[in-house]
């Protein structure tokens, strides 16, 4: 997981912007339940009245309220309410906001007492023990209080009594604030503006709720946009880094990881990291913000239900811990099984022709099915483990909802909670639980992504065995050196990494410009391995190889390979055109050099026969040309580069004898001043070489020209006899002695 965060932190500026937007989104999300509570409690239950201080009040009602106030509170009320208008209403001064808190405190107790008086009159009017007052009951209560002004007369109601000079005698119940607000609502009903007040409040609160929802949507969209950009950039950078690293791997590193695994790491693993990066930015950061914010909001509510949230969080954490302990090891196995499936698929697809030729389709299907089933079983285990999470989460959420409704309902009956508060508490609780649910959902991806990130990091941390020398260790004058092409092997030993024995031992020879050095020997004797040491596909285990006296390890690989024209044993072409393949050695290769190279490689004839000539398309891997054509194009590609050293790794094996002879004759004219090193299986290819090296079990057992080796090297003579008749051997020996080279 640390590797994923390390890649994310490279985009710290964008992440800071994402965090800021998530804070905005979470703030909006957490504000919405409060608006819902206000709409239910204030907008619906209280008729849009949210204060014990009326904005407009009848003269009689104000006088009744002032009669129930202390003298200083009554004076304050007179100060901030204007003169009566033509309808007998007094309006709160526009600049009274500064004194609103003081005014509300002054009005609350009188509002409660007047409301209780109206309720008592409503009960008397209806002949019941208690009843909700109406506007007419308020008018009657105001009139009753008005009759007592300036006297000590006791005002009696069926449901209760109080005196005007002792306003505190009635006391305040736990619902005092609600009763004060209900008094203001009755006053608005008496004025005939209650519906307007309620609608105005609902529109204002609903409009604020809509604006917050739009702001939350804008923040969420912006987060999604930035998260997508960051994740795409991470995927791009990782692919670039992995490919840049792999392209410089030697055969040692490639063999260590395997081609199939490197492909999986470059595609599937990076895709896992990329998807997880989006989830981290959109969910993993947002969920804690939402959860902590929800806990803070819940702690501010006047309820005794916080223990339910603690219980839910503990249960969720236990559930996540158990699931991760069970599933995490399987995620590590899963990525290895994906590698295995890719390896089998790649082998089958690349070897489809031999499979068909040997009627092995059923066997390969079974092999693929075995790899596929292993992956399926592991995926089923992890998926089944994780699918248990959702029902468990749902059970916890529903259980929490039931607990809140049960205990919240009792709190409402006791008068300690309102309907809106209960709705807000449930909503906040669900937000907290949902934040844990989101974290748990992403935890399904995190272990697998963590494994994928580690596999990617393993590639990035791997240093190639073959590297360019440090500037201080490079040979002097490489940039000004005029290369001749003298290749010298000096007591070279080589063994493959991890092997116990050498593949090549004590190899010493010199290949000079203007000469052809041929290497021949039985299969597996190390011919191709020897040739691969020159371009540093492998480095020697002992001894040294020099080019014009400069150790290959003391020059940059690019400098070395710029002097080499390499033709591999298996011709490799790239998707594009014939021209793009022949100019693969550099865009600076002119068309004339390309056409000359094609002519030397005996490829000009079949190229000219194509409708588009050199612009004819080449499929991936050169599958739309024959083996011989592919080999000739590979040879032409090396010739077009005009190197100082030509390396042919059994590159004439797919050519017929006539084409082989014509090609070598034309090649001799082209490479007159260059060094040519040929690995060959056929005697006919090396007959006219200036120097023939005979390898046997990694050692040079013969050295010389064809006739000399026939006379003095039993291994060479054995190879020659296996390929040539006695007559051919005699003719070859005669032509060689005659100097026909």
């Amino acid at each position: 997981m640390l590797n994923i965060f390390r890649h994310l932190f490279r985009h710290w500026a964008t992440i800071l912007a994402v965090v800021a937007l998530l804070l905005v989104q979470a703030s909006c999300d957490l504000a919405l339940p409060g608006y819902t509570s206000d709409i239910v409690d204030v907008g619906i239950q209280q008729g849009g009245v949210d204060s014990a201080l009326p904005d407009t009040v009848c003269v009689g009602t104000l006088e009744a309220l002032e009669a129930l106030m202390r003298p200083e509170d009554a004076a304050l009320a007179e100060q901030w309410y204007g003169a009566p208008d033509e309808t007998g209403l007094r309006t709160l001064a526009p600049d009274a906001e500064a004194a609103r808190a003081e005014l509300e405190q002054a009005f609350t107790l009188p509002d409660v007492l007047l409301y209780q008086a109206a309720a008592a009159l409503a009960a008397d009017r209806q002949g019941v023990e208690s009843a909700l007052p109406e506007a007419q009951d308020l008018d009657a209560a105001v009139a009753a209080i008005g009759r007592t002004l300036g006297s000590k007369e006791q005002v009696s109601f069926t449901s209760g009594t109080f005196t005007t000079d002792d306003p505190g005698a009635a006391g305040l119940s736990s619902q005092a604030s609600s009763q004060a607000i209900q008094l203001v609502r009755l006053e608005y009903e008496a004025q005939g503006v209650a519906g307007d007040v309620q609608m105005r409040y609902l529109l204002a609160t609903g409009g604020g709720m809509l604006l917050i929802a739009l702001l939350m949507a804008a923040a969420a969209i912006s987060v999604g946009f930035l998260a997508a950009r960051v994740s795409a950039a991470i995927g791009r950078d990782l692919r670039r880094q992995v490919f840049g690293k792999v392209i410089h791997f030697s055969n040692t590193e490639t063999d260590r990881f395997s081609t199939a695994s490197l492909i999986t790491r470059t595609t599937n693993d990076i895709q896992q990291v990329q998807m997880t990066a989006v989830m981290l930015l959109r969910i993993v950061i947002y969920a804690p913000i939402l959860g902590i914010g929800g806990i803070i909001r819940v702690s501010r509510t006047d309820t005794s239900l916080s223990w339910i949230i603690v219980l839910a969080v503990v249960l969720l954490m236990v559930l996540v811990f158990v699931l991760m302990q069970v599933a995490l090891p399987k995620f590590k196995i899963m990525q290895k099984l994906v590698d295995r499936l890719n390896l089998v698929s790649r082998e089958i697809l690349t070897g489809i022709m031999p499979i068909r030729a040997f009627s092995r389709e059923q066997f390969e299907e079974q092999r693929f099915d075995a790899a596929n089933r292993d992956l399926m079983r592991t995926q089923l285990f992890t998926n089944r483990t994780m699918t248990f999470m959702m029902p468990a989460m749902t059970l916890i959420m529903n259980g929490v909802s039931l607990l809140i409704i049960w205990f919240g309902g009792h709190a409402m009956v006791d008068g300690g909670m309102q309907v809106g508060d209960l709705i807000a508490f449930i909503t906040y609780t669900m937000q907290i639980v949902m934040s844990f649910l989101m974290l748990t959902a992403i935890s399904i991806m995190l272990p697998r992504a963590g494994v994928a990130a580690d596999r990617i990091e393993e590639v990035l941390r791997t240093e190639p065995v073959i590297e360019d020398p440090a500037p201080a260790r490079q040979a002097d004058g490489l940039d000004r050196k005029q290369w001749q092409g003298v290749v010298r092997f000096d007591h070279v030993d080589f063994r493959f990494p991890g092997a116990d024995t050498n593949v090549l031992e004590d190899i010493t020879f010199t290949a000079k410009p203007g000469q052809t050095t041929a290497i021949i020997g039985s299969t597996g004797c190390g011919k191709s391995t020897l040739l691969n040491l020159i371009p540093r596909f492998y480095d020697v285990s002992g001894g040294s190889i020099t080019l014009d006296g400069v150790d290959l390890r003391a020059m940059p690989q690019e400098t070395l390979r710029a002097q080499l024209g390499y033709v591999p044993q298996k011709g490799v072409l790239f998707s594009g055109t014939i021209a793009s393949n022949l100019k693969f050695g550099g865009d600076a290769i002119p068309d004339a050099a390309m056409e000359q190279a094609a002519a030397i490689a005996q490829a000009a004839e079949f190229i000219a026969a194509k409708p588009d000539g050199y612009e004819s398309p080449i499929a991936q891997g050169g599958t739309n040309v024959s083996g011989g054509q592919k080999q000739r194009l590979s040879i032409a590609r090396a010739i077009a580069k005009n190197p100082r050293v030509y390396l042919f790794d059994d590159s004439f094996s797919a050519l017929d004898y006539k084409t082989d002879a014509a090609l070598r004759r034309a090649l001799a004219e082209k490479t007159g001043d260059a060094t040519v090193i040929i690995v060959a299986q056929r005697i006919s290819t090396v007959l006219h070489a200036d120097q023939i090296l005979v390898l046997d079990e990694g050692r040079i057992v013969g050295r010389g020209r064809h006739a000399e080796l026939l006379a003095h090297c039993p291994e060479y003579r054995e190879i020659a006899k296996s390929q040539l008749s006695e007559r051919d051997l005699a003719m070859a020996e005669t032509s060689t002695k005659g100097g026909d080279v």
Side-chain angles (χ1 to χ4, degrees), residues 606-624:
F606 81 80
I607 294 175
K610 293 181 176 293
D612 297 325
Y614 286 90
E615 296 304 318
S616 299
I618 295 294
Q620 180 181 2
T623 55
N624 59 337

Side-chain angles (χ1 to χ4, degrees), residues 391-428:
M393 287 285 184
T394 305
L395 179 62
I396 293 174
M397 291 177 63
N398 291 336
V400 167
S401 299
L402 287 174
L403 289 175
I404 293 174
I405 293 172
W406 176 263
F407 289 99
H410 283 290
M412 289 176 60
V413 171
D414 297 336
M417 181 182 288
Q418 292 182 306
V419 175
D421 291 336
L422 180 61
I423 294 174
F425 188 85
I426 292 175
T427 306
Y428 286 135

